[in-house]
């Protein structure tokens, strides 16, 4: 495991809150509202914001479904990482983007809980990052027809187990949006 050294900064990671990804997502409007509020607070606190955007055959680049939801507006100065795998670190420049900004702590939001969120929080943690998951700022669609639990259960379970994640020299936490203090992450 490589631990990022001399990286005192934090970043708000906004993963795949794209029109086609969250169109049928559980509690979509509340989650997007929470992320929008976190964006404002992170920017006001001088915390970096890093955007992640997925594309694949079902979500082609430049399509309407591929676009971020209109409620969330990326500033041109905020990095955008394009990915094709669930883990936002796999085959992307995310690690380099974070290193260039001295980021060692991630605050994670977005979609989908049971795919890209889980993959990325685990990917970050094993790469040595401290990872805070915002418990009410991630979501997923209902995949229960395929045998998955209902979305609320997927989200609750992810929040439950992530708060107990441990490893040497790293921290994992879950906090709700209103309780997140960017000066403490």
């Amino acid at each position: 495991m490589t631990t990022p050294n001399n990286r005192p900064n934090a970043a708000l990671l906004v993963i795949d809150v794209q029109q086609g990804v969250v169109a049928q997502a559980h509690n979509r409007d509340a989650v997007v509202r929470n992320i929008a509020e976190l964006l404002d607070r992170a920017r006001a606190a001088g915390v970096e914001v890093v955007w992640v955007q997925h594309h694949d055959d079902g979500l082609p680049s430049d399509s309407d479904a591929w676009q971020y939801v209109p409620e969330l507006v990326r500033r041109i100065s905020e990095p955008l990482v394009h990915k094709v795998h669930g883990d936002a670190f796999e085959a992307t420049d995310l690690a380099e983007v974070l290193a260039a900004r001295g980021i060692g702590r991630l605050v994670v939001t977005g979609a989908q809980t049971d795919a890209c969120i889980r993959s990325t929080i685990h990917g970050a943690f094993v790469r040595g990052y401290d990872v805070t998951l915002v418990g009410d700022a991630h979501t997923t669609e209902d995949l229960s027809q395929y045998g998955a639990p209902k979305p609320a259960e997927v989200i609750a379970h992810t929040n439950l187990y992530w708060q107990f994640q441990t490893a040497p020299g790293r921290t994992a936490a879950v906090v709700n949006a209103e309780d997140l203090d960017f000066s403490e992450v």
Side-chain angles (χ1 to χ4, degrees):
M1 186 230 20
T2 2
T3 303
N5 293 321
N6 300 317
R7 296 203 195 167
N9 301 324
L12 176 65
L13 202 58
V14 183
I15 300 173
D16 301 349
V17 190
Q18 297 160 250
Q19 293 182 81
V21 176
V22 299
Q24 302 299 318
H26 174 74
N27 229 6
R28 180 232 185 256
D29 293 343
V31 169
V32 170
R33 200 171 30 253
N34 286 342
I35 295 170
E37 183 181 296
L38 289 166
L39 281 168
D40 291 342
R41 291 176 32 218
R43 290 167 175 159
V47 170
E48 295 275 355
V49 176
V50 178
W51 300 75
V52 177
Q53 191 171 30
H54 190 86
H55 67 95
D56 57 29
D57 291 342
L59 196 63
S61 296
D62 299 321
S63 67
D64 286 342
W66 176 80
Q67 302 297 327
Y68 255 79
V69 297
E71 300 96 322
L72 304 180
V73 178
R74 178 182 153 259
R75 292 183 178 168
I76 195 72
S77 61
E78 296 169 341
L80 175 62
V81 174
H82 293 279
K83 70 176 182 64
V84 296
H85 303 289
D87 181 348
F89 287 91
E90 290 296 329
T92 71
D93 64 347
L94 180 57
E96 290 81 9
V97 166
L98 299 176
R101 290 161 176 76
I103 296 167
R105 297 181 319 276
L106 300 177
V107 176
V108 179
T109 66
Q112 296 206 124
T113 301
D114 42 359
C116 300
I117 295 298
R118 281 190 186 173
S119 296
T120 301
I121 61 178
H122 286 280
F125 202 65
V126 301
R127 287 173 176 87
Y129 293 88
D130 294 325
V131 181
T132 298
L133 178 62
V134 184
D136 56 355
H138 64 96
T139 187
T140 193
E141 65 187 322
D142 187 348
L143 299 173
S144 59
Q145 67 184 5
Y146 303 105
K150 291 286 190 184
E153 294 168 339
V154 170
I155 293 163
H157 181 250
T158 303
N159 290 341
L160 173 68
Y161 85 74
W162 192 252
Q163 67 184 323
F164 297 108
Q165 191 73 23
T166 62
R170 289 160 277 172
T171 60
V174 177
V175 64
N176 282 332
E178 71 178 356
D179 299 324
L180 181 65
D181 182 348
F182 279 104
S183 68
E184 295 179 357
V185 290

